[in-house]
Amino acid sequence: MKQQQHPTDKRQATIENVAEVVAEHFSISVEDVFRKSRKPIYVIPRNMTILVLTVWHGFSQPDLAKRLGYKHSSSIHYAVKSITSLIESDPVLLTLLKSVLTELKRQKKSN
């Protein structure tokens, strides 16, 4: 008998999967993606992970804030706003984002 996966488990698996792909593209660990540091080496991948989760995977800002341990969903809103403006002004980040999305689509097709 196949055990059903709880929807919450699927959502957590999605967060971890996106973080793994982003971490790989930025050559950091998954733990570094969620590190509370304000250094750009961690902030940019973390914000990109948040962007992908909210825009392409449909996480609500309050739900994602709760899952990632933020006090307010305004932190998620700020992360999305911040990374969006960086991506618009930096073609390298745009290329990285496209690469992350391509990898996630590839993984989805193979599952």
Side-chain angles (χ1 to χ4, degrees):
M1 182 195 284
K2 189 175 179 182
Q3 186 177 7
Q4 287 285 3
Q5 197 176 34
H6 191 274
T8 303
D9 296 340
K10 278 186 171 182
R11 300 292 275 178
Q12 194 60 39
T14 300
I15 290 171
E16 291 167 10
N17 184 48
V18 170
E20 285 174 8
V21 172
V22 171
E24 183 179 316
H25 279 78
F26 281 91
S27 301
I28 62 173
S29 70
V30 174
E31 292 80 22
D32 288 340
V33 171
F34 297 115
R35 186 182 296 240
K36 299 295 182 189
S37 173
R38 293 183 182 175
K39 293 180 181 178
I41 190 170
Y42 306 121
V43 172
I44 292 172
R46 180 172 56 241
N47 288 355
M48 188 172 288
T49 300
I50 290 169
L51 176 71
V52 171
L53 289 168
T54 55
V55 175
W56 283 277
H57 286 283
F59 279 84
S60 70
Q61 290 182 0
D63 181 40
L64 192 55
K66 188 177 186 180
R67 290 174 184 273
L68 297 180
Y70 291 102
K71 291 180 182 178
H72 303 283
S73 63
S74 60
S75 300
I76 301 299
H77 177 76
Y78 180 78
V80 170
K81 184 178 171 182
S82 173
I83 194 68
T84 301
S85 80
L86 280 175
I87 289 169
E88 289 173 351
S89 65
D90 186 346
V92 174
L93 280 179
L94 178 59
T95 302
L96 269 169
L97 175 62
K98 287 178 180 179
S99 181
V100 165
L101 293 173
T102 300
E103 174 64 20
L104 290 168
K105 285 178 190 173
R106 187 193 65 71
Q107 287 180 4
K108 191 173 186 179
K109 282 184 182 179
S110 68
N111 287 337

